[in-house]
Amino acid sequence: MYRISELRLELGGSENELKAQAAKRLRVSTEEIRSMSLCKKSVDARKKSDVHFICTVEADCPSARMPKDRRVTKAEPYRYRLPACRPLEQRPVVVGFGPAGMFAALILAQAGQRPVVLERGSRVEERQKQVSAFWNSGILNPECNVQFGEGGAGTFSDGKLNTGTKDPRIRKVLEEFVGAGAPPEILYEAKPHIGTDRLPQTVRGIRQKILSLGGEIRFDTQMTALLKRDGRVSGVEFRTKGGAPERMETGRVVLAVGHSARDTFEELLAAGVPMEPKPFAVGARIEHPQSLIDSAQYGAAAGHPALGAADYKLAVHLENGRGVYTFCMCPGGQVVAAASEGGRLVTNGMSRFARDGQNANAALLVGVTPADFEGEGPLAGVQFQRMLEEAAFRLGGGEYRAPVQRVEDFLERRASSRLGDIVPTCRPGVTPCSLDSCLPPFLADSMREGIRRMDALLHGFAMPDAVLTAVESRSSSPVRILRGDDGQSPVLSGLYPCGEGAGYAGGIVSAAVDGIRCAERVLGG
Protein backbone atom coordinates (compact mmCIF):
# COMPACT_ATOMS: atom_id res chain seq x y z
CA MET A 1 0.00 0.00 0.00
CA TYR A 2 1.41 3.38 -1.05
CA ARG A 3 0.52 6.86 0.15
CA ILE A 4 0.72 9.43 -2.66
CA SER A 5 0.43 13.13 -1.85
CA GLU A 6 0.21 16.45 -3.69
CA LEU A 7 -2.12 15.25 -6.41
CA ARG A 8 -3.96 18.03 -8.23
CA LEU A 9 -7.68 17.71 -8.87
CA GLU A 10 -9.68 20.28 -10.80
CA LEU A 11 -12.98 21.48 -9.36
CA GLY A 12 -14.93 19.29 -11.74
CA GLY A 13 -12.43 16.43 -11.63
CA SER A 14 -13.13 12.76 -10.95
CA GLU A 15 -11.54 9.91 -9.00
CA ASN A 16 -10.35 8.43 -12.30
CA GLU A 17 -8.13 11.48 -12.80
CA LEU A 18 -6.60 10.94 -9.38
CA LYS A 19 -6.05 7.28 -10.17
CA ALA A 20 -4.26 8.18 -13.40
CA GLN A 21 -1.96 10.57 -11.53
CA ALA A 22 -1.29 7.97 -8.84
CA ALA A 23 -0.39 5.38 -11.48
CA LYS A 24 1.99 7.82 -13.13
CA ARG A 25 3.76 8.48 -9.81
CA LEU A 26 4.06 4.74 -9.18
CA ARG A 27 5.12 4.12 -12.79
CA VAL A 28 2.42 1.53 -13.39
CA SER A 29 -0.77 1.32 -15.42
CA THR A 30 -4.09 2.24 -13.84
CA GLU A 31 -5.15 -1.40 -14.19
CA GLU A 32 -2.36 -2.46 -11.85
CA ILE A 33 -3.85 -0.40 -9.00
CA ARG A 34 -6.19 -2.86 -7.29
CA SER A 35 -7.88 -0.26 -5.06
CA MET A 36 -7.48 3.35 -4.07
CA SER A 37 -8.93 5.51 -1.30
CA LEU A 38 -8.93 9.24 -0.70
CA CYS A 39 -7.02 10.20 2.48
CA LYS A 40 -7.00 13.97 2.33
CA LYS A 41 -8.61 16.66 0.23
CA SER A 42 -8.07 20.39 0.65
CA VAL A 43 -8.79 23.53 -1.37
CA ASP A 44 -5.84 25.40 -2.83
CA ALA A 45 -7.03 28.98 -3.35
CA ARG A 46 -3.70 30.76 -3.13
CA LYS A 47 -4.25 31.97 -6.69
CA LYS A 48 -7.84 33.12 -7.14
CA SER A 49 -7.51 32.49 -10.89
CA ASP A 50 -6.54 28.86 -10.29
CA VAL A 51 -8.64 27.37 -7.48
CA HIS A 52 -8.36 23.58 -7.29
CA PHE A 53 -8.02 20.70 -4.85
CA ILE A 54 -4.85 19.08 -3.50
CA CYS A 55 -5.34 15.41 -2.61
CA THR A 56 -3.58 12.51 -0.96
CA VAL A 57 -4.56 8.92 -1.75
CA GLU A 58 -3.61 5.43 -0.65
CA ALA A 59 -3.23 2.91 -3.46
CA ASP A 60 -2.95 -0.87 -3.27
CA CYS A 61 -0.52 -1.82 -6.03
CA PRO A 62 1.58 -4.98 -5.39
CA SER A 63 3.41 -4.68 -8.71
CA ALA A 64 4.80 -1.20 -7.98
CA ARG A 65 8.30 -0.52 -6.70
CA MET A 66 8.98 2.42 -4.45
CA PRO A 67 9.92 5.34 -6.74
CA LYS A 68 12.45 7.99 -5.80
CA ASP A 69 9.76 10.57 -5.11
CA ARG A 70 9.26 12.28 -1.75
CA ARG A 71 5.53 12.44 -2.51
CA VAL A 72 5.26 8.63 -2.42
CA THR A 73 5.65 6.76 0.87
CA LYS A 74 4.69 3.40 2.29
CA ALA A 75 1.21 3.62 3.80
CA GLU A 76 0.93 2.71 7.46
CA PRO A 77 -2.73 1.93 8.18
CA TYR A 78 -3.75 3.10 11.65
CA ARG A 79 -5.50 0.68 13.95
CA TYR A 80 -6.41 1.70 17.48
CA ARG A 81 -5.50 -0.88 20.12
CA LEU A 82 -6.93 -0.90 23.60
CA PRO A 83 -4.33 -1.10 26.36
CA ALA A 84 -4.07 -4.45 28.10
CA CYS A 85 -6.00 -4.35 31.36
CA ARG A 86 -7.75 -6.44 33.95
CA PRO A 87 -11.36 -5.93 35.10
CA LEU A 88 -11.52 -3.06 37.57
CA GLU A 89 -12.79 -3.84 41.06
CA GLN A 90 -15.50 -1.17 40.76
CA ARG A 91 -17.21 0.33 37.76
CA PRO A 92 -15.55 3.61 36.71
CA VAL A 93 -17.68 6.76 36.67
CA VAL A 94 -17.55 9.40 33.95
CA VAL A 95 -18.98 12.80 34.87
CA GLY A 96 -20.20 14.63 31.78
CA PHE A 97 -21.18 13.36 28.33
CA GLY A 98 -19.63 15.88 25.99
CA PRO A 99 -16.90 14.77 23.55
CA ALA A 100 -14.35 14.06 26.32
CA GLY A 101 -16.71 12.12 28.55
CA MET A 102 -18.30 10.36 25.60
CA PHE A 103 -15.02 8.98 24.29
CA ALA A 104 -13.70 8.18 27.76
CA ALA A 105 -16.86 6.16 28.34
CA LEU A 106 -16.64 4.52 24.92
CA ILE A 107 -13.06 3.32 25.47
CA LEU A 108 -13.89 2.07 28.96
CA ALA A 109 -16.90 0.23 27.56
CA GLN A 110 -14.87 -1.28 24.72
CA ALA A 111 -12.41 -2.50 27.37
CA GLY A 112 -15.25 -4.31 29.14
CA GLN A 113 -15.33 -2.04 32.21
CA ARG A 114 -19.08 -1.10 32.06
CA PRO A 115 -18.70 2.60 32.91
CA VAL A 116 -21.44 4.65 34.52
CA VAL A 117 -21.94 8.13 33.02
CA LEU A 118 -23.57 10.98 34.97
CA GLU A 119 -24.85 13.78 32.70
CA ARG A 120 -26.69 16.73 34.22
CA GLY A 121 -28.51 17.52 30.96
CA SER A 122 -30.96 15.47 28.95
CA ARG A 123 -30.54 12.97 26.14
CA VAL A 124 -30.19 14.66 22.77
CA GLU A 125 -33.80 14.11 21.67
CA GLU A 126 -35.16 16.01 24.68
CA ARG A 127 -32.33 18.48 24.53
CA GLN A 128 -33.27 19.52 20.99
CA LYS A 129 -36.79 20.32 22.20
CA GLN A 130 -35.51 22.34 25.17
CA VAL A 131 -33.06 24.37 23.08
CA SER A 132 -35.62 25.05 20.37
CA ALA A 133 -38.11 26.23 23.01
CA PHE A 134 -35.48 28.60 24.45
CA TRP A 135 -34.68 30.08 21.04
CA ASN A 136 -38.39 30.59 20.34
CA SER A 137 -39.53 31.87 23.72
CA GLY A 138 -36.50 33.14 25.63
CA ILE A 139 -37.34 30.81 28.54
CA LEU A 140 -34.12 29.13 29.71
CA ASN A 141 -33.75 25.69 31.29
CA PRO A 142 -30.51 26.02 33.35
CA GLU A 143 -29.95 22.25 33.36
CA CYS A 144 -30.60 21.47 29.70
CA ASN A 145 -29.46 23.98 27.10
CA VAL A 146 -26.77 24.67 24.49
CA GLN A 147 -24.06 24.01 27.11
CA PHE A 148 -25.50 21.05 29.06
CA GLY A 149 -26.79 17.75 27.75
CA GLU A 150 -25.80 14.80 25.61
CA GLY A 151 -22.93 15.72 23.28
CA GLY A 152 -21.93 18.84 25.21
CA ALA A 153 -21.70 22.32 23.74
CA GLY A 154 -20.42 20.87 20.46
CA THR A 155 -23.82 19.38 19.62
CA PHE A 156 -25.14 22.86 18.83
CA SER A 157 -22.23 24.07 16.72
CA ASP A 158 -20.82 23.62 13.25
CA GLY A 159 -19.43 20.28 14.39
CA LYS A 160 -15.90 21.20 13.32
CA LEU A 161 -13.43 18.34 13.59
CA ASN A 162 -10.19 20.05 12.57
CA THR A 163 -7.60 20.37 15.31
CA GLY A 164 -4.01 21.45 15.75
CA THR A 165 -3.07 18.25 17.55
CA LYS A 166 -1.30 15.48 15.61
CA ASP A 167 -2.27 12.66 17.96
CA PRO A 168 -2.91 9.45 15.97
CA ARG A 169 -6.00 8.83 18.12
CA ILE A 170 -7.75 11.41 15.93
CA ARG A 171 -8.35 8.62 13.43
CA LYS A 172 -10.10 6.59 16.11
CA VAL A 173 -12.37 9.54 16.87
CA LEU A 174 -13.27 10.10 13.22
CA GLU A 175 -13.89 6.42 12.56
CA GLU A 176 -16.20 6.17 15.58
CA PHE A 177 -18.11 9.23 14.39
CA VAL A 178 -18.57 7.74 10.92
CA GLY A 179 -19.63 4.42 12.46
CA ALA A 180 -22.24 6.36 14.45
CA GLY A 181 -23.70 8.05 11.39
CA ALA A 182 -21.44 11.02 10.62
CA PRO A 183 -20.71 11.79 6.93
CA PRO A 184 -17.83 9.62 5.63
CA GLU A 185 -16.22 12.73 4.11
CA ILE A 186 -14.85 13.61 7.55
CA LEU A 187 -12.23 10.88 7.07
CA TYR A 188 -10.49 12.80 4.29
CA GLU A 189 -11.63 16.43 4.24
CA ALA A 190 -8.87 18.78 5.41
CA LYS A 191 -11.45 20.77 7.38
CA PRO A 192 -14.05 18.16 8.33
CA HIS A 193 -17.37 19.03 9.93
CA ILE A 194 -20.55 17.15 10.79
CA GLY A 195 -23.11 19.95 11.02
CA THR A 196 -25.67 20.75 13.69
CA ASP A 197 -28.37 18.83 11.85
CA ARG A 198 -26.35 15.58 11.81
CA LEU A 199 -24.65 15.79 15.20
CA PRO A 200 -27.68 14.54 17.20
CA GLN A 201 -27.87 11.24 15.32
CA THR A 202 -24.09 10.87 15.66
CA VAL A 203 -23.99 11.32 19.43
CA ARG A 204 -27.03 9.07 19.74
CA GLY A 205 -25.17 6.39 17.80
CA ILE A 206 -22.21 6.54 20.17
CA ARG A 207 -24.55 6.43 23.15
CA GLN A 208 -26.17 3.27 21.79
CA LYS A 209 -22.76 1.66 21.29
CA ILE A 210 -21.74 2.37 24.89
CA LEU A 211 -25.02 0.90 26.13
CA SER A 212 -24.62 -2.19 23.95
CA LEU A 213 -21.22 -2.81 25.56
CA GLY A 214 -22.64 -2.74 29.08
CA GLY A 215 -22.20 0.92 29.91
CA GLU A 216 -24.84 2.93 31.74
CA ILE A 217 -25.78 6.55 31.07
CA ARG A 218 -27.85 8.49 33.60
CA PHE A 219 -29.24 11.68 32.09
CA ASP A 220 -30.68 14.58 34.11
CA THR A 221 -28.28 13.50 36.86
CA GLN A 222 -25.75 15.89 38.39
CA MET A 223 -22.77 14.97 40.50
CA THR A 224 -23.03 16.97 43.72
CA ALA A 225 -19.90 15.80 45.56
CA LEU A 226 -16.80 13.69 45.30
CA LEU A 227 -16.37 11.16 48.08
CA LYS A 228 -12.84 10.53 49.26
CA ARG A 229 -10.90 8.43 51.72
CA ASP A 230 -7.19 8.64 52.59
CA GLY A 231 -6.35 10.91 49.66
CA ARG A 232 -8.21 8.80 47.13
CA VAL A 233 -11.59 8.93 45.43
CA SER A 234 -13.99 6.50 47.07
CA GLY A 235 -17.20 7.42 45.25
CA VAL A 236 -19.54 10.11 44.00
CA GLU A 237 -22.69 11.70 45.34
CA PHE A 238 -25.29 12.67 42.76
CA ARG A 239 -28.86 13.76 42.40
CA THR A 240 -31.29 12.85 39.66
CA LYS A 241 -33.76 15.56 38.68
CA GLY A 242 -36.48 15.60 41.35
CA GLY A 243 -34.87 12.78 43.32
CA ALA A 244 -33.07 12.37 46.63
CA PRO A 245 -29.25 12.36 46.83
CA GLU A 246 -27.64 9.00 46.02
CA ARG A 247 -24.13 7.62 46.35
CA MET A 248 -22.05 5.24 44.27
CA GLU A 249 -18.75 3.68 45.31
CA THR A 250 -15.93 3.87 42.79
CA GLY A 251 -12.19 4.32 42.85
CA ARG A 252 -11.94 6.03 39.45
CA VAL A 253 -13.76 9.15 38.27
CA VAL A 254 -13.20 10.82 34.89
CA LEU A 255 -14.16 14.46 35.38
CA ALA A 256 -15.31 15.76 31.98
CA VAL A 257 -17.81 18.43 33.00
CA GLY A 258 -17.27 20.93 30.17
CA HIS A 259 -16.25 24.59 30.24
CA SER A 260 -19.56 25.91 31.63
CA ALA A 261 -20.02 23.76 34.76
CA ARG A 262 -19.41 26.71 37.03
CA ASP A 263 -21.28 25.32 40.05
CA THR A 264 -19.21 22.13 39.80
CA PHE A 265 -16.00 24.19 39.67
CA GLU A 266 -17.11 25.91 42.90
CA GLU A 267 -17.86 22.60 44.60
CA LEU A 268 -14.51 21.12 43.56
CA LEU A 269 -12.64 24.18 44.80
CA ALA A 270 -14.43 24.01 48.14
CA ALA A 271 -13.50 20.32 48.36
CA GLY A 272 -9.81 21.17 47.97
CA VAL A 273 -9.31 19.99 44.37
CA PRO A 274 -6.44 22.16 43.07
CA MET A 275 -7.13 24.38 40.08
CA GLU A 276 -5.84 27.61 38.62
CA PRO A 277 -7.14 30.39 36.38
CA LYS A 278 -6.03 30.18 32.77
CA PRO A 279 -5.99 32.50 29.76
CA PHE A 280 -8.94 32.36 27.38
CA ALA A 281 -10.61 34.79 24.97
CA VAL A 282 -13.79 36.86 24.81
CA GLY A 283 -15.49 39.13 22.29
CA ALA A 284 -18.51 38.96 20.00
CA ARG A 285 -19.84 37.15 16.94
CA ILE A 286 -19.45 38.89 13.58
CA GLU A 287 -21.80 38.18 10.65
CA HIS A 288 -21.21 38.83 6.94
CA PRO A 289 -23.00 37.72 3.79
CA GLN A 290 -21.69 34.28 2.87
CA SER A 291 -21.44 35.47 -0.73
CA LEU A 292 -18.89 38.09 0.32
CA ILE A 293 -16.71 35.47 2.03
CA ASP A 294 -17.00 33.16 -0.99
CA SER A 295 -15.86 35.91 -3.38
CA ALA A 296 -13.04 37.05 -1.11
CA GLN A 297 -11.68 33.51 -0.76
CA TYR A 298 -12.39 31.95 -4.16
CA GLY A 299 -12.62 34.83 -6.63
CA ALA A 300 -14.34 33.84 -9.89
CA ALA A 301 -14.68 30.25 -8.67
CA ALA A 302 -17.06 31.33 -5.89
CA GLY A 303 -20.29 29.43 -6.04
CA HIS A 304 -18.86 26.35 -7.73
CA PRO A 305 -20.81 23.35 -6.36
CA ALA A 306 -17.59 21.43 -5.66
CA LEU A 307 -16.38 24.13 -3.28
CA GLY A 308 -19.36 24.84 -1.06
CA ALA A 309 -19.32 27.74 1.38
CA ALA A 310 -15.91 29.30 2.04
CA ASP A 311 -14.46 29.74 5.50
CA TYR A 312 -11.69 31.88 6.95
CA LYS A 313 -9.33 32.02 9.91
CA LEU A 314 -7.75 35.36 10.77
CA ALA A 315 -5.36 36.50 13.49
CA VAL A 316 -3.51 39.76 14.19
CA HIS A 317 -1.20 40.91 16.95
CA LEU A 318 -1.75 44.48 18.12
CA GLU A 319 0.74 47.05 19.37
CA ASN A 320 -0.94 46.94 22.79
CA GLY A 321 0.25 43.34 23.08
CA ARG A 322 -3.21 41.83 22.59
CA GLY A 323 -3.97 39.05 20.15
CA VAL A 324 -7.21 39.32 18.18
CA TYR A 325 -8.41 36.35 16.16
CA THR A 326 -11.44 34.66 14.66
CA PHE A 327 -12.61 31.37 16.10
CA CYS A 328 -15.25 28.73 15.34
CA MET A 329 -16.10 30.22 11.94
CA CYS A 330 -19.48 28.94 10.73
CA PRO A 331 -19.97 29.19 6.94
CA GLY A 332 -23.61 29.56 5.93
CA GLY A 333 -24.56 29.38 9.59
CA GLN A 334 -26.31 31.29 12.32
CA VAL A 335 -25.52 32.93 15.64
CA VAL A 336 -27.22 31.18 18.54
CA ALA A 337 -28.17 32.08 22.08
CA ALA A 338 -26.09 29.80 24.29
CA ALA A 339 -26.81 30.83 27.89
CA SER A 340 -26.72 28.35 30.75
CA GLU A 341 -27.42 30.71 33.69
CA GLY A 342 -30.37 32.98 34.29
CA GLY A 343 -29.83 36.69 33.58
CA ARG A 344 -26.60 36.07 31.67
CA LEU A 345 -26.39 36.22 27.88
CA VAL A 346 -23.95 34.17 25.78
CA THR A 347 -23.63 33.69 22.01
CA ASN A 348 -22.17 30.92 19.90
CA GLY A 349 -22.32 29.86 16.25
CA MET A 350 -23.56 26.82 14.37
CA SER A 351 -24.03 25.54 10.81
CA ARG A 352 -25.95 22.72 9.19
CA PHE A 353 -23.96 20.16 7.24
CA ALA A 354 -24.91 21.84 3.94
CA ARG A 355 -23.76 25.24 5.24
CA ASP A 356 -26.43 26.79 3.04
CA GLY A 357 -27.49 29.81 5.10
CA GLN A 358 -27.26 33.39 3.81
CA ASN A 359 -24.83 34.58 6.49
CA ALA A 360 -21.37 33.56 7.65
CA ASN A 361 -20.41 34.12 11.26
CA ALA A 362 -17.35 33.74 13.46
CA ALA A 363 -16.28 34.65 16.95
CA LEU A 364 -14.12 37.78 16.98
CA LEU A 365 -12.05 37.29 20.11
CA VAL A 366 -9.46 39.09 22.18
CA GLY A 367 -7.09 37.11 24.37
CA VAL A 368 -7.40 37.74 28.11
CA THR A 369 -5.21 36.57 30.98
CA PRO A 370 -5.64 36.35 34.77
CA ALA A 371 -4.10 39.85 34.96
CA ASP A 372 -7.31 41.18 33.33
CA PHE A 373 -9.65 39.66 35.91
CA GLU A 374 -10.82 41.91 38.71
CA GLY A 375 -11.10 39.15 41.28
CA GLU A 376 -8.56 36.72 42.64
CA GLY A 377 -8.37 32.98 42.97
CA PRO A 378 -8.90 30.10 40.56
CA LEU A 379 -12.42 31.19 39.60
CA ALA A 380 -11.62 34.83 38.82
CA GLY A 381 -12.06 34.09 35.12
CA VAL A 382 -15.55 32.74 35.78
CA GLN A 383 -16.48 35.99 37.51
CA PHE A 384 -15.06 37.94 34.56
CA GLN A 385 -17.25 35.93 32.17
CA ARG A 386 -20.31 36.48 34.34
CA MET A 387 -19.69 40.23 34.44
CA LEU A 388 -19.68 40.40 30.64
CA GLU A 389 -22.70 38.13 30.29
CA GLU A 390 -24.78 40.09 32.80
CA ALA A 391 -23.92 43.38 31.06
CA ALA A 392 -24.90 41.89 27.68
CA PHE A 393 -28.20 40.61 29.11
CA ARG A 394 -29.09 44.06 30.47
CA LEU A 395 -28.06 45.80 27.26
CA GLY A 396 -30.21 43.47 25.18
CA GLY A 397 -33.25 44.40 27.25
CA GLY A 398 -33.89 41.01 28.84
CA GLU A 399 -35.57 37.84 27.54
CA TYR A 400 -32.17 36.87 26.08
CA ARG A 401 -32.40 39.33 23.21
CA ALA A 402 -28.80 39.84 22.10
CA PRO A 403 -27.23 43.30 21.80
CA VAL A 404 -26.04 43.97 18.24
CA GLN A 405 -24.23 46.75 16.40
CA ARG A 406 -23.31 47.49 12.80
CA VAL A 407 -19.55 47.28 12.26
CA GLU A 408 -19.39 50.81 10.83
CA ASP A 409 -21.12 52.18 13.93
CA PHE A 410 -18.86 50.14 16.19
CA LEU A 411 -15.74 51.47 14.46
CA GLU A 412 -17.07 55.05 14.68
CA ARG A 413 -18.06 54.62 18.35
CA ARG A 414 -21.73 55.45 17.81
CA ALA A 415 -24.75 53.40 18.83
CA SER A 416 -26.71 51.57 16.16
CA SER A 417 -30.33 52.68 15.99
CA ARG A 418 -31.09 50.45 13.03
CA LEU A 419 -29.51 47.62 11.07
CA GLY A 420 -28.59 47.50 7.39
CA ASP A 421 -28.79 44.85 4.70
CA ILE A 422 -27.54 41.99 6.88
CA VAL A 423 -30.31 40.41 8.94
CA PRO A 424 -28.96 39.05 12.25
CA THR A 425 -29.69 35.36 12.74
CA CYS A 426 -29.65 35.21 16.55
CA ARG A 427 -32.86 34.10 18.23
CA PRO A 428 -35.00 34.86 20.18
CA GLY A 429 -34.14 38.35 18.93
CA VAL A 430 -31.69 41.26 18.91
CA THR A 431 -31.48 44.84 20.16
CA PRO A 432 -29.45 47.48 18.24
CA CYS A 433 -27.22 49.43 20.61
CA SER A 434 -23.59 50.31 21.40
CA LEU A 435 -21.51 47.32 22.44
CA ASP A 436 -19.21 49.69 24.33
CA SER A 437 -21.92 49.60 27.00
CA CYS A 438 -21.18 45.93 27.77
CA LEU A 439 -17.53 45.49 26.77
CA PRO A 440 -14.59 46.89 28.78
CA PRO A 441 -12.66 49.55 26.82
CA PHE A 442 -9.58 47.36 26.33
CA LEU A 443 -11.75 44.69 24.69
CA ALA A 444 -13.76 47.02 22.48
CA ASP A 445 -10.71 49.00 21.35
CA SER A 446 -8.77 45.83 20.56
CA MET A 447 -11.70 44.48 18.55
CA ARG A 448 -11.90 47.74 16.57
CA GLU A 449 -8.24 47.62 15.67
CA GLY A 450 -8.51 43.91 14.92
CA ILE A 451 -11.39 44.47 12.47
CA ARG A 452 -9.45 47.16 10.60
CA ARG A 453 -6.37 44.97 10.27
CA MET A 454 -8.34 41.89 9.32
CA ASP A 455 -10.01 43.84 6.51
CA ALA A 456 -6.59 44.03 4.88
CA LEU A 457 -6.34 40.23 5.09
CA LEU A 458 -9.88 39.47 3.92
CA HIS A 459 -11.39 42.25 1.83
CA GLY A 460 -14.85 43.19 3.10
CA PHE A 461 -14.33 42.03 6.68
CA ALA A 462 -14.99 45.62 7.85
CA MET A 463 -18.03 46.11 5.60
CA PRO A 464 -20.30 48.76 7.16
CA ASP A 465 -23.43 46.59 7.50
CA ALA A 466 -21.66 43.56 9.00
CA VAL A 467 -23.21 42.79 12.38
CA LEU A 468 -21.55 42.25 15.75
CA THR A 469 -23.54 40.24 18.33
CA ALA A 470 -22.41 40.17 21.96
CA VAL A 471 -21.17 38.53 23.99
CA GLU A 472 -18.97 35.53 23.09
CA SER A 473 -17.48 34.46 26.42
CA ARG A 474 -17.27 30.65 26.37
CA SER A 475 -14.55 30.06 23.78
CA SER A 476 -12.69 27.83 26.26
CA SER A 477 -12.54 27.04 29.94
CA PRO A 478 -11.45 29.85 32.28
CA VAL A 479 -9.88 27.32 34.69
CA ARG A 480 -7.48 24.42 34.64
CA ILE A 481 -8.07 21.55 37.06
CA LEU A 482 -4.57 20.34 37.80
CA ARG A 483 -3.41 16.83 36.97
CA GLY A 484 -0.09 15.04 37.00
CA ASP A 485 1.72 13.07 34.34
CA ASP A 486 -0.42 10.08 35.28
CA GLY A 487 -3.57 12.08 34.46
CA GLN A 488 -4.72 12.17 38.09
CA SER A 489 -5.32 15.03 40.47
CA PRO A 490 -2.13 15.62 42.49
CA VAL A 491 -4.08 15.50 45.76
CA LEU A 492 -6.82 13.01 44.97
CA SER A 493 -5.81 9.72 43.39
CA GLY A 494 -8.42 8.22 41.12
CA LEU A 495 -9.72 11.61 39.91
CA TYR A 496 -8.93 12.21 36.22
CA PRO A 497 -9.62 15.83 35.13
CA CYS A 498 -10.43 15.61 31.45
CA GLY A 499 -11.24 17.59 28.34
CA GLU A 500 -12.06 21.19 27.62
CA GLY A 501 -13.71 21.96 30.95
CA ALA A 502 -10.61 20.84 32.84
CA GLY A 503 -8.46 23.05 30.62
CA TYR A 504 -6.78 20.38 28.48
CA ALA A 505 -8.55 20.65 25.12
CA GLY A 506 -10.07 23.17 22.74
CA GLY A 507 -12.69 21.67 20.45
CA ILE A 508 -14.60 18.47 19.71
CA VAL A 509 -11.71 16.35 18.46
CA SER A 510 -9.06 17.48 20.94
CA ALA A 511 -11.55 16.92 23.79
CA ALA A 512 -12.44 13.47 22.44
CA VAL A 513 -8.74 12.57 22.16
CA ASP A 514 -8.16 13.71 25.73
CA GLY A 515 -11.08 11.54 26.79
CA ILE A 516 -9.41 8.55 25.15
CA ARG A 517 -6.11 9.33 26.88
CA CYS A 518 -7.81 9.62 30.27
CA ALA A 519 -9.60 6.31 29.75
CA GLU A 520 -6.28 4.68 28.87
CA ARG A 521 -4.81 6.00 32.13
CA VAL A 522 -7.77 4.64 34.06
CA LEU A 523 -7.22 1.24 32.46
CA GLY A 524 -3.50 1.39 33.10
CA GLY A 525 -3.86 2.50 36.71
Side-chain angles (χ1 to χ4, degrees):
M1 188 75 75
Y2 296 91
R3 188 177 181 89
I4 308 157
S5 61
E6 298 181 30
L7 298 176
R8 179 188 174 102
L9 181 66
E10 302 302 331
L11 297 184
S14 68
E15 184 176 325
N16 286 336
E17 294 175 39
L18 285 178
K19 192 172 186 179
Q21 291 184 60
K24 185 176 180 180
R25 294 268 183 90
L26 292 173
R27 300 177 184 176
V28 298
S29 66
T30 55
E31 290 76 17
E32 290 177 84
I33 296 179
R34 296 198 302 194
S35 64
M36 188 183 78
S37 60
L38 188 58
C39 298
K40 187 175 181 181
K41 181 181 179 184
S42 60
V43 178
D44 186 340
R46 289 173 293 180
K47 293 182 180 180
K48 300 297 183 284
S49 60
D50 182 28
V51 179
H52 57 278
F53 296 110
I54 297 294
C55 301
T56 299
V57 301
E58 286 187 357
D60 181 10
C61 186
S63 62
R65 293 184 178 181
M66 179 66 72
K68 292 182 178 179
D69 188 333
R70 63 172 181 78
R71 298 165 298 179
V72 180
T73 58
K74 283 284 188 181
E76 304 264 343
Y78 173 75
R79 180 176 298 172
Y80 179 77
R81 289 180 172 82
L82 288 166
C85 61
R86 290 184 246 174
L88 300 175
E89 295 177 4
Q90 298 168 311
R91 298 174 73 177
V93 170
V94 177
V95 183
F97 202 51
M102 184 175 293
F103 274 84
L106 179 62
I107 296 301
L108 292 170
Q110 289 175 339
Q113 304 296 347
R114 301 172 57 244
V116 177
V117 179
L118 307 179
E119 168 54 54
R120 68 189 297 171
S122 302
R123 66 186 65 233
V124 73
E125 298 91 340
E126 177 60 26
R127 190 180 178 203
Q128 287 177 290
K129 297 176 185 176
Q130 293 285 341
V131 170
S132 180
F134 171 52
W135 288 343
N136 289 328
S137 68
I139 299 174
L140 174 69
N141 180 344
E143 297 302 329
C144 183
N145 44 62
V146 171
Q147 307 295 344
F148 300 142
E150 184 174 22
T155 300
F156 294 93
S157 70
D158 185 57
K160 289 178 188 60
L161 303 177
N162 48 304
T163 175
T165 179
K166 302 299 183 183
D167 194 300
R169 297 175 183 84
I170 292 171
R171 184 71 185 186
K172 168 71 170 174
V173 173
L174 298 181
E175 288 177 350
E176 291 291 353
F177 277 142
V178 171
E185 297 97 304
I186 67 174
L187 294 175
Y188 60 79
E189 292 284 0
K191 297 179 180 179
H193 79 287
I194 298 177
T196 314
D197 51 336
R198 299 197 183 187
L199 276 162
Q201 74 177 53
T202 303
V203 299
R204 186 167 57 245
I206 294 178
R207 177 224 302 170
Q208 291 167 346
K209 187 168 186 178
I210 293 169
L211 294 175
S212 72
L213 293 169
E216 181 181 347
I217 303 168
R218 301 190 181 189
F219 293 107
D220 302 303
T221 302
Q222 183 175 0
M223 184 189 75
T224 53
L226 282 170
L227 307 179
K228 49 191 176 180
R229 185 185 306 119
D230 301 325
R232 183 171 183 86
V233 167
S234 61
V236 291
E237 182 180 275
F238 58 92
R239 183 192 299 269
T240 301
K241 187 177 180 180
E246 300 179 57
R247 291 188 169 195
M248 179 184 301
E249 291 186 357
T250 183
R252 293 169 176 83
V253 175
V254 176
L255 191 67
V257 296
H259 60 42
S260 294
R262 294 165 171 174
D263 49 357
T264 302
F265 294 155
E266 291 166 353
E267 291 162 0
L268 292 170
L269 183 63
V273 175
M275 58 183 73
E276 62 186 13
K278 62 176 277 292
F280 58 104
V282 294
R285 282 269 151 184
I286 186 166
E287 285 190 271
H288 299 90
Q290 182 60 49
S291 58
L292 180 147
I293 305 302
D294 292 345
S295 296
Q297 298 293 67
Y298 297 149
H304 193 288
L307 288 171
D311 65 1
Y312 61 81
K313 185 177 182 180
L314 305 172
V316 295
H317 189 76
L318 308 184
E319 293 178 359
N320 64 9
R322 300 277 177 185
V324 184
Y325 62 97
T326 62
F327 174 77
C328 188
M329 192 271 163
C330 298
Q334 67 186 80
V335 178
V336 299
S340 60
E341 295 180 324
R344 298 183 176 117
L345 193 145
V346 186
T347 64
N348 199 0
M350 73 178 196
S351 300
R352 295 181 293 272
F353 178 71
R355 291 176 164 175
D356 54 1
Q358 294 295 310
N359 290 0
N361 76 80
L364 177 68
L365 301 179
V366 180
V368 295
T369 71
D372 297 309
F373 310 152
E374 293 183 4
E376 296 182 353
L379 301 185
V382 172
Q383 297 309 315
F384 182 75
Q385 288 176 323
R386 282 174 166 163
M387 176 193 72
L388 296 176
E389 293 166 12
E390 289 167 5
F393 183 83
R394 291 193 299 268
L395 188 58
E399 298 181 345
Y400 298 94
R401 295 177 61 85
V404 298
Q405 190 173 13
R406 293 174 62 247
V407 163
E408 181 182 51
D409 294 335
F410 181 68
L411 295 177
E412 296 298 325
R413 301 174 186 269
R414 62 172 179 256
S416 290
S417 57
R418 61 169 185 83
L419 297 175
D421 292 337
I422 301 175
V423 178
T425 55
C426 190
R427 294 185 293 151
V430 299
T431 302
C433 60
S434 170
L435 297 189
D436 285 273
S437 297
C438 71
L439 298 175
F442 80 87
L443 277 180
D445 290 343
S446 295
M447 289 167 62
R448 273 187 272 267
E449 183 62 21
I451 290 171
R452 292 188 178 100
R453 293 197 183 192
M454 288 175 182
D455 191 63
L457 302 174
L458 193 154
H459 181 64
F461 193 80
M463 73 173 294
D465 278 351
V467 176
L468 287 165
T469 307
V471 61
E472 171 93 14
S473 54
R474 311 275 183 95
S475 61
S476 64
S477 180
V479 303
R480 178 171 289 111
I481 303 174
L482 302 186
R483 68 187 187 191
D485 293 340
D486 60 358
Q488 301 181 64
S489 167
V491 302
L492 194 59
S493 297
L495 178 65
Y496 297 81
C498 181
E500 190 164 350
Y504 296 99
I508 292 174
V509 170
S510 62
V513 167
D514 198 57
I516 293 174
R517 287 198 205 101
C518 285
E520 291 170 349
R521 287 163 175 156
V522 169
L523 295 171

